Amino acid sequence: PGGPRPPGEGGGVVGLLRRLGRVEDSRQRAAELFRWLVAPVAPGEFLGRHWERAPLLVRRGDPGYYAGLFSTADFDAALRGGEVHFGTHLDVTSYAEGVRETHNPSGRALPAVVWDFYQNGCSLRLLSPQAFSPTVWHFLSILQEHFGSMAGANTYLTPPGTQGFAPHYDDIEAFVLQLEGKKHWRVYSPRTDAEVLPQFSSANLTQAELGEPMLETVLEAGDLLYFPRGFIHQGDCLPDTHSLHITVSSYQRNSWGDFLEKLLPAALQMALEEDVEYRQGLPMDYLGYMGVTNSDAVDARRTAFMGKVQSLIKKLVNYAPIDAAVDQRAKSFLHDCLPPVLTQSEKAQSMYGFPARWQDGGPCDVDILITKDTQVRLLRHGIIRLCNEEAGVMLYYTTENSRVYHKEEPKFLEIDPEYTDSIEFLLSSYPNHVSVDTLPCETLEDKISLATLLFEKGILTTKKPLVQV
């Protein structure tokens, strides 16, 4: 994506997304977009030296690097669209003399009201710009597959000579993309070990609570600033220009600890069901020698009790349903995901371009005619997950998700267990097309039935449009 462009391709983010649309494998597409995001730093170097470790500043000297991703004109258009509401989609904030305030009225964010706030020195934070910008939606929907964790975004518009937010640290990995104007940033190292890669964001901090910044810089259009969760930061505008930036975020609550929170209760439940040692009673007299009041006592019974607890915890790993816990986290991720954005050819080859319509007094081109020779493949690699649950085998998918975070309930199909091999076959075959006849179902009727079901949900595409329009 960073190389020379074919004639007529167009530059900026729109041209980049168009070129990525020709990459067959969605995993490679996501990797290429990430490579572009941190360029000229190589992804391997970024992961080895910066990810979860240290901030990265990339000065590009290219004001048009992010052209087309999002602009103040897009911000204005979103306000004029009438769907932006204070508090839900837009925060009006200020930070002066150490005091951070939010000034949200209730109701719709009308342009005259919003721009009056801005004119009076307030910052504007647009939450989930992907709900209002097809380009931001497209950008994040590709990037999320690289992280394997939700990729979100907020945009920040700050008037000249002001600051909108108090110093604080976040619970996300933050990529600040400077879109317009300039912004002066100060970044500070975590103050204690407990603030390294924190689970939750901090409260607003005062200047007195900060030491010296480890990094101080002015970001200009086209520049990138990355900092890991736990790094305190604050940004303010220079007197002579406004600032528009978008913060792309990921890895919220995506740590080993968060994974173990899912895994350990399930492991304990299984151990209680399968191993009598976990169901045996505690010693009758344990309250007499255990507990904080007895913590300094030298007692053989204490030593035995501690040893028993350690052995039960050690043995617990044998009951840990690790793969099932991973599937449950994947299921949550698929609920977080943005739906995929389709290229024109993908639309023509999927349910979304199917030409069913009303014509000449009746419905026309309604039947989905998939045969044994129809060539199919998954729309994207990362859009489905098979999960074995108590109720049965569920196939979770993202194609019917909303552009607004969690507006929809998780989408899933209950799958006949006999179909799991076929789903796994489609995953392992991706990005190649396979004929419906090669699906490992028992009968041809089953093969066609499964392919039709997945096509109707937008999960499968065909090599050629099913109906020539």
mmCIF file of all heavy atoms in Angstrom, residues 77-110:
data_model
loop_
_atom_site.group_PDB
_atom_site.id
_atom_site.type_symbol
_atom_site.label_atom_id
_atom_site.label_comp_id
_atom_site.label_asym_id
_atom_site.label_seq_id
_atom_site.Cartn_x
_atom_site.Cartn_y
_atom_site.Cartn_z
ATOM 1 N N ALA A 77 -20.779 17.718 8.486
ATOM 2 C CA ALA A 77 -21.809 16.937 7.778
ATOM 3 C C ALA A 77 -22.539 16.001 8.747
ATOM 4 O O ALA A 77 -23.765 15.820 8.642
ATOM 5 C CB ALA A 77 -21.173 16.137 6.645
ATOM 6 N N ALA A 78 -21.797 15.418 9.703
ATOM 7 C CA ALA A 78 -22.421 14.531 10.696
ATOM 8 C C ALA A 78 -23.440 15.313 11.531
ATOM 9 O O ALA A 78 -24.552 14.838 11.786
ATOM 10 C CB ALA A 78 -21.357 13.912 11.595
ATOM 11 N N LEU A 79 -23.071 16.539 11.935
ATOM 12 C CA LEU A 79 -23.991 17.381 12.717
ATOM 13 C C LEU A 79 -25.238 17.710 11.894
ATOM 14 O O LEU A 79 -26.364 17.700 12.405
ATOM 15 C CB LEU A 79 -23.305 18.680 13.144
ATOM 16 C CG LEU A 79 -22.103 18.556 14.096
ATOM 17 C CD1 LEU A 79 -21.481 19.924 14.341
ATOM 18 C CD2 LEU A 79 -22.529 17.925 15.422
ATOM 19 N N ARG A 80 -25.039 17.994 10.602
ATOM 20 C CA ARG A 80 -26.168 18.367 9.746
ATOM 21 C C ARG A 80 -27.056 17.168 9.423
ATOM 22 O O ARG A 80 -28.206 17.330 9.029
ATOM 23 C CB ARG A 80 -25.661 18.997 8.447
ATOM 24 C CG ARG A 80 -25.044 20.331 8.693
ATOM 25 C CD ARG A 80 -24.466 21.050 7.496
ATOM 26 N NE ARG A 80 -23.810 22.247 7.996
ATOM 27 C CZ ARG A 80 -24.452 23.307 8.455
ATOM 28 N NH1 ARG A 80 -25.757 23.340 8.450
ATOM 29 N NH2 ARG A 80 -23.796 24.342 8.930
ATOM 30 N N GLY A 81 -26.511 15.973 9.585
ATOM 31 C CA GLY A 81 -27.310 14.765 9.322
ATOM 32 C C GLY A 81 -28.419 14.555 10.345
ATOM 33 O O GLY A 81 -29.334 13.759 10.122
ATOM 34 N N GLY A 82 -28.308 15.218 11.499
ATOM 35 C CA GLY A 82 -29.397 15.182 12.482
ATOM 36 C C GLY A 82 -29.411 13.987 13.409
ATOM 37 O O GLY A 82 -30.309 13.845 14.228
ATOM 38 N N GLU A 83 -28.393 13.098 13.307
ATOM 39 C CA GLU A 83 -28.387 11.888 14.141
ATOM 40 C C GLU A 83 -27.463 12.008 15.348
ATOM 41 O O GLU A 83 -27.394 11.099 16.164
ATOM 42 C CB GLU A 83 -27.940 10.679 13.290
ATOM 43 C CG GLU A 83 -28.865 10.343 12.134
ATOM 44 C CD GLU A 83 -30.252 9.942 12.604
ATOM 45 O OE1 GLU A 83 -30.356 9.184 13.584
ATOM 46 O OE2 GLU A 83 -31.236 10.414 11.994
ATOM 47 N N VAL A 84 -26.723 13.129 15.448
ATOM 48 C CA VAL A 84 -25.758 13.288 16.549
ATOM 49 C C VAL A 84 -26.464 13.874 17.763
ATOM 50 O O VAL A 84 -27.138 14.897 17.678
ATOM 51 C CB VAL A 84 -24.581 14.208 16.123
ATOM 52 C CG1 VAL A 84 -23.590 14.370 17.271
ATOM 53 C CG2 VAL A 84 -23.870 13.636 14.892
ATOM 54 N N HIS A 85 -26.317 13.197 18.912
ATOM 55 C CA HIS A 85 -26.919 13.662 20.159
ATOM 56 C C HIS A 85 -25.838 13.920 21.202
ATOM 57 O O HIS A 85 -24.862 13.180 21.295
ATOM 58 C CB HIS A 85 -27.916 12.628 20.695
ATOM 59 C CG HIS A 85 -29.201 12.596 19.931
ATOM 60 N ND1 HIS A 85 -29.284 12.062 18.654
ATOM 61 C CD2 HIS A 85 -30.445 13.038 20.243
ATOM 62 C CE1 HIS A 85 -30.528 12.173 18.220
ATOM 63 N NE2 HIS A 85 -31.253 12.761 19.163
ATOM 64 N N PHE A 86 -26.033 14.981 21.987
ATOM 65 C CA PHE A 86 -25.098 15.284 23.070
ATOM 66 C C PHE A 86 -25.060 14.116 24.064
ATOM 67 O O PHE A 86 -26.086 13.518 24.376
ATOM 68 C CB PHE A 86 -25.522 16.564 23.810
ATOM 69 C CG PHE A 86 -25.296 17.825 23.021
ATOM 70 C CD1 PHE A 86 -26.370 18.572 22.555
ATOM 71 C CD2 PHE A 86 -24.010 18.265 22.744
ATOM 72 C CE1 PHE A 86 -26.170 19.748 21.835
ATOM 73 C CE2 PHE A 86 -23.793 19.436 22.013
ATOM 74 C CZ PHE A 86 -24.874 20.169 21.562
ATOM 75 N N GLY A 87 -23.859 13.808 24.539
ATOM 76 C CA GLY A 87 -23.714 12.739 25.531
ATOM 77 C C GLY A 87 -23.597 11.368 24.907
ATOM 78 O O GLY A 87 -22.696 10.603 25.226
ATOM 79 N N THR A 88 -24.501 11.050 23.984
ATOM 80 C CA THR A 88 -24.464 9.735 23.321
ATOM 81 C C THR A 88 -23.369 9.689 22.263
ATOM 82 O O THR A 88 -22.609 8.731 22.186
ATOM 83 C CB THR A 88 -25.824 9.436 22.657
ATOM 84 O OG1 THR A 88 -26.855 9.673 23.598
ATOM 85 C CG2 THR A 88 -25.895 7.992 22.173
ATOM 86 N N HIS A 89 -23.324 10.733 21.433
ATOM 87 C CA HIS A 89 -22.368 10.759 20.316
ATOM 88 C C HIS A 89 -21.340 11.882 20.429
ATOM 89 O O HIS A 89 -20.297 11.811 19.787
ATOM 90 C CB HIS A 89 -23.110 10.947 18.980
ATOM 91 C CG HIS A 89 -24.254 10.009 18.777
ATOM 92 N ND1 HIS A 89 -25.566 10.439 18.707
ATOM 93 C CD2 HIS A 89 -24.286 8.661 18.640
ATOM 94 C CE1 HIS A 89 -26.360 9.392 18.533
ATOM 95 N NE2 HIS A 89 -25.612 8.304 18.491
ATOM 96 N N LEU A 90 -21.653 12.917 21.189
ATOM 97 C CA LEU A 90 -20.799 14.101 21.202
ATOM 98 C C LEU A 90 -20.630 14.634 22.627
ATOM 99 O O LEU A 90 -21.622 14.799 23.344
ATOM 100 C CB LEU A 90 -21.410 15.201 20.321
ATOM 101 C CG LEU A 90 -20.579 16.477 20.174
ATOM 102 C CD1 LEU A 90 -19.349 16.240 19.306
ATOM 103 C CD2 LEU A 90 -21.421 17.611 19.576
ATOM 104 N N ASP A 91 -19.380 14.876 23.013
ATOM 105 C CA ASP A 91 -19.079 15.532 24.295
ATOM 106 C C ASP A 91 -18.477 16.900 24.034
ATOM 107 O O ASP A 91 -17.582 17.042 23.191
ATOM 108 C CB ASP A 91 -18.071 14.694 25.103
ATOM 109 C CG ASP A 91 -18.703 13.457 25.715
ATOM 110 O OD1 ASP A 91 -19.897 13.519 26.068
ATOM 111 O OD2 ASP A 91 -18.008 12.424 25.826
ATOM 112 N N VAL A 92 -18.968 17.893 24.767
ATOM 113 C CA VAL A 92 -18.416 19.248 24.728
ATOM 114 C C VAL A 92 -17.627 19.436 26.017
ATOM 115 O O VAL A 92 -18.201 19.326 27.110
ATOM 116 C CB VAL A 92 -19.541 20.304 24.628
ATOM 117 C CG1 VAL A 92 -18.955 21.709 24.613
ATOM 118 C CG2 VAL A 92 -20.390 20.063 23.383
ATOM 119 N N THR A 93 -16.327 19.694 25.917
ATOM 120 C CA THR A 93 -15.476 19.715 27.109
ATOM 121 C C THR A 93 -14.574 20.947 27.133
ATOM 122 O O THR A 93 -14.323 21.575 26.098
ATOM 123 C CB THR A 93 -14.571 18.461 27.167
ATOM 124 O OG1 THR A 93 -13.609 18.555 26.106
ATOM 125 C CG2 THR A 93 -15.363 17.179 27.014
ATOM 126 N N SER A 94 -14.098 21.265 28.342
ATOM 127 C CA SER A 94 -13.082 22.309 28.481
ATOM 128 C C SER A 94 -12.173 21.957 29.649
ATOM 129 O O SER A 94 -12.569 21.207 30.551
ATOM 130 C CB SER A 94 -13.735 23.681 28.715
ATOM 131 O OG SER A 94 -14.432 23.683 29.959
ATOM 132 N N TYR A 95 -10.965 22.486 29.620
ATOM 133 C CA TYR A 95 -10.008 22.298 30.709
ATOM 134 C C TYR A 95 -9.252 23.604 30.877
ATOM 135 O O TYR A 95 -8.520 24.024 29.972
ATOM 136 C CB TYR A 95 -9.044 21.156 30.384
ATOM 137 C CG TYR A 95 -7.982 20.914 31.435
ATOM 138 C CD1 TYR A 95 -8.323 20.333 32.657
ATOM 139 C CD2 TYR A 95 -6.656 21.266 31.210
ATOM 140 C CE1 TYR A 95 -7.347 20.101 33.631
ATOM 141 C CE2 TYR A 95 -5.682 21.046 32.173
ATOM 142 C CZ TYR A 95 -6.033 20.460 33.384
ATOM 143 O OH TYR A 95 -5.077 20.235 34.344
ATOM 144 N N ALA A 96 -9.486 24.275 31.995
ATOM 145 C CA ALA A 96 -8.827 25.564 32.231
ATOM 146 C C ALA A 96 -8.513 25.690 33.717
ATOM 147 O O ALA A 96 -9.330 25.303 34.564
ATOM 148 C CB ALA A 96 -9.729 26.706 31.783
ATOM 149 N N GLU A 97 -7.322 26.188 34.027
ATOM 150 C CA GLU A 97 -6.863 26.386 35.404
ATOM 151 C C GLU A 97 -7.058 25.132 36.244
ATOM 152 O O GLU A 97 -7.527 25.174 37.390
ATOM 153 C CB GLU A 97 -7.594 27.591 36.026
ATOM 154 C CG GLU A 97 -7.265 28.897 35.301
ATOM 155 C CD GLU A 97 -8.085 30.074 35.794
ATOM 156 O OE1 GLU A 97 -8.829 29.903 36.781
ATOM 157 O OE2 GLU A 97 -7.970 31.151 35.191
ATOM 158 N N GLY A 98 -6.731 23.993 35.633
ATOM 159 C CA GLY A 98 -6.770 22.725 36.361
ATOM 160 C C GLY A 98 -8.149 22.125 36.537
ATOM 161 O O GLY A 98 -8.312 21.112 37.208
ATOM 162 N N VAL A 99 -9.175 22.694 35.918
ATOM 163 C CA VAL A 99 -10.549 22.179 36.074
ATOM 164 C C VAL A 99 -11.058 21.660 34.732
ATOM 165 O O VAL A 99 -11.079 22.393 33.743
ATOM 166 C CB VAL A 99 -11.502 23.280 36.606
ATOM 167 C CG1 VAL A 99 -12.923 22.731 36.750
ATOM 168 C CG2 VAL A 99 -11.001 23.826 37.933
ATOM 169 N N ARG A 100 -11.461 20.399 34.701
ATOM 170 C CA ARG A 100 -12.035 19.779 33.502
ATOM 171 C C ARG A 100 -13.546 19.779 33.639
ATOM 172 O O ARG A 100 -14.081 19.338 34.661
ATOM 173 C CB ARG A 100 -11.479 18.361 33.364
ATOM 174 C CG ARG A 100 -12.368 17.337 32.685
ATOM 175 C CD ARG A 100 -12.234 17.357 31.183
ATOM 176 N NE ARG A 100 -12.699 16.094 30.633
ATOM 177 C CZ ARG A 100 -13.974 15.799 30.363
ATOM 178 N NH1 ARG A 100 -14.930 16.668 30.608
ATOM 179 N NH2 ARG A 100 -14.302 14.632 29.856
ATOM 180 N N GLU A 101 -14.262 20.297 32.630
ATOM 181 C CA GLU A 101 -15.721 20.361 32.680
ATOM 182 C C GLU A 101 -16.325 19.775 31.407
ATOM 183 O O GLU A 101 -15.737 19.858 30.333
ATOM 184 C CB GLU A 101 -16.186 21.818 32.828
ATOM 185 C CG GLU A 101 -15.871 22.434 34.174
ATOM 186 C CD GLU A 101 -16.450 23.843 34.275
ATOM 187 O OE1 GLU A 101 -15.771 24.792 33.822
ATOM 188 O OE2 GLU A 101 -17.578 23.975 34.788
ATOM 189 N N THR A 102 -17.515 19.196 31.565
ATOM 190 C CA THR A 102 -18.310 18.743 30.418
ATOM 191 C C THR A 102 -19.537 19.651 30.335
ATOM 192 O O THR A 102 -20.176 19.919 31.355
ATOM 193 C CB THR A 102 -18.738 17.272 30.593
ATOM 194 O OG1 THR A 102 -17.563 16.474 30.719
ATOM 195 C CG2 THR A 102 -19.539 16.779 29.401
ATOM 196 N N HIS A 103 -19.854 20.114 29.134
ATOM 197 C CA HIS A 103 -20.923 21.117 28.972
ATOM 198 C C HIS A 103 -22.071 20.585 28.119
ATOM 199 O O HIS A 103 -22.695 21.354 27.391
ATOM 200 C CB HIS A 103 -20.355 22.387 28.316
ATOM 201 C CG HIS A 103 -19.139 22.937 28.997
ATOM 202 N ND1 HIS A 103 -19.197 23.731 30.114
ATOM 203 C CD2 HIS A 103 -17.817 22.776 28.717
ATOM 204 C CE1 HIS A 103 -17.968 24.057 30.495
ATOM 205 N NE2 HIS A 103 -17.110 23.489 29.665
ATOM 206 N N ASN A 104 -22.347 19.288 28.182
ATOM 207 C CA ASN A 104 -23.356 18.720 27.283
ATOM 208 C C ASN A 104 -24.770 19.182 27.648
ATOM 209 O O ASN A 104 -25.230 18.915 28.758
ATOM 210 C CB ASN A 104 -23.335 17.192 27.349
ATOM 211 C CG ASN A 104 -22.064 16.606 26.771
ATOM 212 O OD1 ASN A 104 -21.359 17.279 26.038
ATOM 213 N ND2 ASN A 104 -21.776 15.357 27.098
ATOM 214 N N PRO A 105 -25.485 19.848 26.713
ATOM 215 C CA PRO A 105 -26.933 20.012 26.914
ATOM 216 C C PRO A 105 -27.592 18.650 26.651
ATOM 217 O O PRO A 105 -26.906 17.664 26.399
ATOM 218 C CB PRO A 105 -27.335 21.035 25.847
ATOM 219 C CG PRO A 105 -26.072 21.451 25.152
ATOM 220 C CD PRO A 105 -25.027 20.430 25.459
ATOM 221 N N SER A 106 -28.917 18.601 26.682
ATOM 222 C CA SER A 106 -29.585 17.351 26.309
ATOM 223 C C SER A 106 -30.074 17.477 24.862
ATOM 224 O O SER A 106 -30.170 18.569 24.322
ATOM 225 C CB SER A 106 -30.758 17.077 27.251
ATOM 226 O OG SER A 106 -31.661 18.159 27.206
ATOM 227 N N GLY A 107 -30.359 16.321 24.276
ATOM 228 C CA GLY A 107 -30.988 16.321 22.953
ATOM 229 C C GLY A 107 -30.012 16.370 21.788
ATOM 230 O O GLY A 107 -28.821 16.070 21.932
ATOM 231 N N ARG A 108 -30.555 16.726 20.629
ATOM 232 C CA ARG A 108 -29.790 16.718 19.385
ATOM 233 C C ARG A 108 -28.703 17.776 19.400
ATOM 234 O O ARG A 108 -28.880 18.871 19.932
ATOM 235 C CB ARG A 108 -30.731 17.005 18.215
ATOM 236 C CG ARG A 108 -31.112 15.779 17.407
ATOM 237 C CD ARG A 108 -31.981 16.150 16.244
ATOM 238 N NE ARG A 108 -31.289 17.010 15.277
ATOM 239 C CZ ARG A 108 -31.889 17.542 14.226
ATOM 240 N NH1 ARG A 108 -33.175 17.348 14.014
ATOM 241 N NH2 ARG A 108 -31.204 18.295 13.392
ATOM 242 N N ALA A 109 -27.552 17.428 18.796
ATOM 243 C CA ALA A 109 -26.440 18.373 18.681
ATOM 244 C C ALA A 109 -26.621 19.168 17.394
ATOM 245 O O ALA A 109 -26.171 18.754 16.322
ATOM 246 C CB ALA A 109 -25.113 17.613 18.687
ATOM 247 N N LEU A 110 -27.302 20.298 17.494
ATOM 248 C CA LEU A 110 -27.555 21.133 16.315
ATOM 249 C C LEU A 110 -26.306 21.945 15.971
ATOM 250 O O LEU A 110 -25.594 22.424 16.865
ATOM 251 C CB LEU A 110 -28.729 22.076 16.582
ATOM 252 C CG LEU A 110 -30.078 21.366 16.796
ATOM 253 C CD1 LEU A 110 -31.103 22.328 17.373
ATOM 254 C CD2 LEU A 110 -30.576 20.762 15.492
#
